[in-house]
C-alpha cells in the first residue's frame, strides 16, 4: 500500500511568495520615511512639557505668594521665550538640540507669552525654516 504524498506543490509555494511580495511592496512605503513624523511628535512632546511645566510653576508661584516657583516676567515674547525660562519651569530644562524663541502671537500684557519650540537640525542656535517646530506655546506670566 502506497503512502499518500503530503505537502505543498511548487505552484502553491510560488503563489504564496508572490502574494507576500505584493503585500510588502504596498506596505513598505508607509514605513520608510517616518523620521519627520517622529521629529514632529518629539517637538510636540517637548512643547507640551514646557506648557505644562509653566502652568505648574504659575500655580505654585501664585498659591505661595511668590515663595515657591519662579517669577516669569517680560515685556515681550522675546524677553520671556529664552532657555533660562525653560530651565526654570522644566525639570532638567530643554533637552539637548531643542530651542525656544518668540512665538508669532503677540504677548498679552500680564497674562501669557507665546513661545516657539523647535528641534535644531543644523546645530545652529535658532529655529530655521524646515525644522520641526511648535509655535505659540502659552507661558503664563506671574506678574
Amino acid at each position: 500500500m502506497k503512502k499518500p504524498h503530503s505537502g505543498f506543490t511548487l505552484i502553491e509555494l510560488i503563489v504564496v511568495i508572490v502574494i507576500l511580495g505584493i503585500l510588502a511592496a504596498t506596505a513598505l512605503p508607509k514605513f520608510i520615511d517616518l523620521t519627520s513624523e517622529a521629529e514632529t511628535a518629539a517637538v510636540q512632546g517637548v512643547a507640551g512639557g514646557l506648557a505644562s511645566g509653566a502652568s505648574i510653576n504659575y500655580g505654585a508661584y501664585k498659591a505661595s505668594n511668590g515663595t515657591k516657583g519662579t517669577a516669569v516676567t517680560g515685556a515681550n515674547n522675546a524677553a520671556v521665550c529664552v532657555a533660562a525660562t525653560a530651565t526654570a519651569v522644566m525639570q532638567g530644562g530643554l533637552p539637548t538640540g531643542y530651542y525656544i524663541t518668540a512665538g508669532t502671537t503677540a504677548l498679552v500684557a500680564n497674562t501669557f507669552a507665546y513661545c516657539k519650540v523647535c528641534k535644531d537640525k543644523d546645530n545652529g542656535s535658532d529655529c530655521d525654516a524646515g525644522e520641526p517646530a511648535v509655535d505659540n506655546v502659552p507661558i503664563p506670566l506671574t506678574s
Side-chain angles (χ1 to χ4, degrees), residues 73-83 85 100-103 105 107 113-115:
T73 60
N76 55 38
N77 285 343
V80 175
C81 300
V82 294
T85 300
I100 179 173
T101 61
T105 300
L107 178 136
Y114 293 94
C115 301

Side-chain angles (χ1 to χ4, degrees), residues 103-126:
T104 56
T105 300
L107 178 136
V108 180
N110 298 324
T111 56
F112 286 96
Y114 293 94
C115 301
K116 180 178 183 180
V117 177
C118 72
K119 171 76 171 136
D120 187 32
K121 290 181 169 183
D122 62 1
N123 296 323
S125 60
D126 57 353

Side-chain angles (χ1 to χ4, degrees), residues 27-89:
L28 281 180
K30 290 187 172 269
F31 300 110
I32 286 178
D33 188 26
L34 292 178
T35 304
S36 63
E37 291 177 17
E39 287 175 342
T40 301
V43 171
Q44 289 171 341
V46 171
L50 175 63
S52 178
S55 295
I56 291 170
N57 177 68
Y58 175 82
Y61 189 86
K62 290 296 185 177
S64 68
N65 290 322
T67 60
K68 294 184 179 176
T70 302
V72 178
T73 60
N76 55 38
N77 285 343
V80 175
C81 300
V82 294
T85 300
T87 301
V89 301

